[in-house]
Amino acid sequence: MTTAIVDFTTYGNSMAEALARVGANPVLAGQDRILIKPNLVTKSPFPVTTSPMCCEAIIDVVRACNPDAEIIIAEGTGDPSCDTMAVFETLGYTRLAARKQIRLADLNTEDLKKMKNPACRRLPEFWMPEIALSCFIISVPVLKVHTLAKMTGTLKNMMGFAPPSHYSGGGAWNKAALHSRLQEAIADLNRYRQPDLSLVDASVGMADSHLGGRQCDPPVGKLIAGFDPVAVDRAAAGLLGLDWQGIGHLKKPI
């Protein structure tokens, strides 16, 4: 399945090109309910978190080919000192939602469904927000090195679906219980629910850490799109100068 890496000029132009190149438009046209999942781990602005302008460009493409679809932007922030709705407000998503007439959802407080998969050795059961099971999910991370997972991409971005009520582990982060054997946790979580479509904002890139530090210099200047999240993340790893074969959750298809 095709993975597209396009040069970044503007979100509007580059997003439309990336989605067209992977044949996303007819797929989006057939969806009733679309959930856009940015990476808003904290209230720090882009490029630590996904820019609302990036998500707006996705909304515009969806609306152009499917004006009747319900669109939701959903996240469950990882920082327990930051309420997700407050993060939406700080980063401009509340204004975006009002302008585009879409709903914002806090994945940390959504109704849950207990799921089981004995093939998942790290997470033989998982409490999944029910909204993840009724929507077409577009995962929209930013390109970053990750201090624990080596990189954060579209597969790691799905950790936002882990509810703190079950996965805080009493730690300093809402998803801290998953940080042990993290590579396995990322893989298992995506066995329960993968993104249906992935769009990695690699227009800038974070070179040292997922929470701050040095930005890529020069900026990476790309957007990555694709339906296969493993292939998308392998391409993203290459843009960071990383060998995906050394990243546990990317070694084999999920």
Side-chain angles (χ1 to χ4, degrees), residues 117-125 167 175-189 191-192:
N117 184 346
C120 294
R121 299 176 62 184
R122 174 67 178 83
L123 297 171
E125 63 179 40
Y167 301 106
K175 327 292 178 176
L178 300 182
H179 288 173
S180 172
R181 295 165 58 194
L182 178 58
Q183 300 287 348
E184 295 173 72
I186 295 169
D188 276 1
L189 194 161
R191 291 186 179 103
Y192 286 103

Side-chain angles (χ1 to χ4, degrees), residues 154-215:
T154 190
L155 295 172
K156 172 68 171 60
N157 191 38
M158 296 299 284
M159 282 183 64
F161 287 93
S165 57
H166 291 81
Y167 301 106
S168 69
W173 291 90
N174 281 334
K175 327 292 178 176
L178 300 182
H179 288 173
S180 172
R181 295 165 58 194
L182 178 58
Q183 300 287 348
E184 295 173 72
I186 295 169
D188 276 1
L189 194 161
N190 280 270
R191 291 186 179 103
Y192 286 103
R193 188 66 171 96
Q194 292 185 21
D196 298 296
L197 175 63
S198 300
L199 290 151
V200 180
D201 184 353
S203 58
V204 176
M206 299 294 293
D208 296 322
S209 169
H210 59 294
L211 296 175
R214 182 171 56 96
Q215 298 179 15

Side-chain angles (χ1 to χ4, degrees), residues 143 151 224 232-244 247:
L143 183 71
M151 68 161 286
I224 312 170
V232 167
D233 274 357
R234 287 175 178 177
L239 294 181
L240 285 170
L242 302 174
D243 180 358
W244 62 261
I247 301 173

Side-chain angles (χ1 to χ4, degrees), residues 96-124:
L96 170 63
R99 188 168 67 253
K100 294 295 184 178
Q101 297 185 318
I102 62 170
R103 181 165 77 89
L104 300 176
D106 181 356
L107 295 174
N108 288 344
T109 61
E110 285 285 312
D111 292 338
L112 304 174
K113 179 178 180 179
K114 186 177 182 179
M115 305 177 71
K116 295 184 178 182
N117 184 346
C120 294
R121 299 176 62 184
R122 174 67 178 83
L123 297 171

Side-chain angles (χ1 to χ4, degrees), residues 32-37 70-76 85 88 102-115 126-138 158 160-163 192-196:
D32 295 323
R33 201 173 189 223
I34 295 172
L35 186 155
I36 298 173
K37 167 63 176 71
E70 178 186 3
I71 302 173
I72 304 162
I73 294 179
E75 176 61 300
M85 289 301 176
F88 281 141
I102 62 170
R103 181 165 77 89
L104 300 176
D106 181 356
L107 295 174
N108 288 344
T109 61
E110 285 285 312
D111 292 338
L112 304 174
K113 179 178 180 179
K114 186 177 182 179
M115 305 177 71
F126 188 79
W127 288 90
M128 180 71 72
E130 291 181 352
I131 194 173
L133 306 175
S134 62
C135 294
F136 182 93
I137 297 176
I138 305 176
M158 296 299 284
F161 287 93
Y192 286 103
R193 188 66 171 96
Q194 292 185 21
D196 298 296

